[in-house]
Amino acid sequence: MISGLSKLPQKYAEPLTVGNVILKSRVLQSPLSGVTDLVFRRLVRRYAPDSMLYTEMISATDLHHRSALPKLMEIDRHETPISIQLFDCRPDFLAEAAQKAVAEGADTVDINMGCPVNKITKKGGGSSLLRQPELAAQIVRSVVGAVDIPVTVKTRIGWDDAEITILDFAKRMEDAGAKMITVHARTRSQGYTGNAKWEWIRKVKEVLTIPVIANGDIFSVEAAIACLVQTGADGVMCSRGTLGYPFLVGEVDHFLKTGEYLPKPTAIKCLQVAKEHLQGLWDYKGIRGIRQSRKHMTWYAKGFVGAAALRDRLCRIESVQDGFDCLDAAIEQIANFQGEFQAISPEDMAEMIAMQQ
Ligand SMILES: Cc1cc2nc3c(=O)[nH]c(=O)nc-3n(C[C@H](O)[C@H](O)[C@H](O)COP(=O)(O)O)c2cc1C
């Protein structure tokens, strides 16, 4: 039994209203650069049909200077609810980019104000906006004025431990017209290290009226429940826990709605999904997809005997066939191992145990 489950309010099984959009799930798949492309999202969607999914973050300046839309922005007409995430520091470019997002079919536009990467912050985007709250508010006002869909913000709790500014910042975003805020409960200087400081999410929840989504360290159903109980947030967003595990958002969603666990996918199931992922990346992106697939493949290969050796091979694959050969061999090995294990009768097993005593 999950501790705190009995204290879980009924609201988590109910829809969440974000501006004029109603979400049938309070579990969201985070935007992940280099990960949450169309191929990955299709897998997540299969197991989490109601959840909000996000594109990878897209530069508004880049969009402004291009005539064609980048693949990053491509969404499937059937994949609603979907949010297109933008980053930049230019209110006018962001407004223009948001209109393109609407034309693509986005249900919401999210503005990234949390990315810690130097390349982004040096140009004034991502988490550097935490240090420019007036500009951040101006961005939200500008985008809200340009589109009819809800504008949301994803940010961190502050720049560093000496500068935790999220309470004032979040309020400014709400006042500027943001319809939801996702708080990754780490500072910019933490990067992805140390624990997420969920206590700040509770404080944000206390000062805002718009929905607050908790993010950071949601690696399991149990973590999601603990986070919701501790923070009172309106929903949770799963991130690194979904790498090589597109089942997590659906697992948490199912639990919130029913109070029951879905059965965990077996190692064989995970590797079969890895094969689909690989094929999808090849179909969608060709050889670039194969190169990108290597990291995904290694993330899927965990938790069984021989996983380390498999990862070693998967990080060097050059084609779909290469990947399939590795994955099929591992699937067969796991199946044989299970077969041998199951072939032992209860009587034999009892005898073996007795002999060891
Ligand atoms: C590989 C990777 C890519 C990410 N890309 C984005 C992104 O494009 N936009 C964004 O808002 N956050 C991005 N993030 C941050 C995550 O969405 C999330 O806020 C963070 O990982 C904290 O959650 P976790 O501790 O559960 O992983 C990225 C994180 C990782 C690890």
Side-chain angles (χ1 to χ4, degrees), residues 7 18 31 41 79 84 94 106 114 121 131 147 149 155 173 178 191 225 231 243 266 279 315 317 327 339 348-349 352:
K7 288 181 244 151
V18 180
R41 295 200 307 269
E79 68 172 323
I84 290 187
L94 279 159
T121 55
R131 295 188 127 177
V147 295
I149 60 174
T155 189
M173 297 305 102
I225 304 306
T231 63
L243 301 179
T266 62
Q279 182 71 56
C315 67
I317 58 171
L327 293 164
D348 290 343
M349 184 66 88
M352 280 164 65

Side-chain angles (χ1 to χ4, degrees), residues 40-286:
F40 180 77
R41 295 200 307 269
R42 279 191 186 134
L43 293 174
V44 175
R45 173 66 73 214
R46 182 190 298 161
Y47 303 105
D50 298 335
S51 287
M52 174 72 100
L53 312 185
Y54 288 76
T55 63
E56 303 164 72
M57 62 179 182
I58 301 159
S59 156
T61 299
D62 192 35
L63 276 183
H64 176 76
H65 293 298
R66 277 169 168 263
S67 48
L69 287 184
K71 244 180 157 51
L72 286 181
M73 199 150 168
E74 233 165 38
I75 59 177
D76 197 327
R77 293 276 160 188
H78 307 292
E79 68 172 323
T80 186
I82 174 84
S83 181
I84 290 187
Q85 195 192 48
L86 304 170
F87 73 94
D88 220 287
C89 64
R90 296 237 350 211
D92 50 347
F93 285 0
L94 279 159
E96 185 186 305
Q99 286 169 343
K100 292 180 182 168
V102 172
E104 279 308 283
D107 294 298
T108 68
V109 171
D110 190 68
I111 317 231
N112 181 315
M113 300 193 183
C115 180
V117 175
N118 273 331
K119 203 172 72 179
I120 308 289
T121 55
K122 277 196 180 134
K123 290 188 187 156
S127 57
S128 71
L129 286 165
L130 279 161
R131 295 188 127 177
Q132 302 220 56
E134 192 35 53
L135 175 59
Q138 203 189 327
I139 285 172
V140 171
R141 282 193 296 270
S142 164
V143 179
V144 167
V147 295
D148 289 334
I149 60 174
V151 175
T152 63
V153 168
K154 181 167 176 287
T155 189
R156 291 185 177 236
I157 55 174
W159 187 256
D160 57 25
D161 279 350
E163 220 177 291
I164 297 188
T165 50
I166 187 61
L167 298 185
D168 173 64
F169 189 83
K171 189 79 188 86
R172 283 173 186 249
M173 297 305 102
E174 176 174 280
D175 292 345
K179 292 289 185 286
M180 179 172 85
I181 186 159
T182 301
V183 181
H184 173 193
R186 287 189 173 84
T187 61
R188 188 263 177 182
S189 66
Q190 271 186 284
Y192 297 97
T193 62
N195 292 337
K197 300 168 201 262
W198 291 342
E199 61 275 19
W200 283 100
I201 299 175
R202 165 162 285 287
K203 292 180 188 164
V204 174
K205 178 68 194 146
E206 281 162 10
V207 297
L208 296 195
T209 56
I210 56 171
V212 175
I213 303 297
N215 174 236
D217 292 347
I218 310 293
F219 289 97
S220 62
V221 173
E222 289 83 349
I225 304 306
C227 179
L228 289 172
V229 169
Q230 286 175 37
T231 63
D234 298 285
V236 278
M237 179 182 274
C238 304
S239 304
R240 285 172 297 167
T242 67
L243 301 179
Y245 199 75
F247 316 98
L248 181 61
V249 176
E251 285 177 357
V252 178
D253 184 49
H254 184 82
F255 196 92
L256 289 189
K257 286 173 178 160
T258 65
E260 285 170 12
Y261 284 102
L262 281 174
K264 283 271 171 204
T266 62
I268 290 180
K269 171 78 183 169
C270 291
L271 298 184
Q272 282 163 342
V273 171
K275 284 179 68 180
E276 277 187 74
H277 198 161
L278 173 57
Q279 182 71 56
L281 284 170
W282 164 252
D283 294 343
Y284 189 54
K285 299 183 185 173

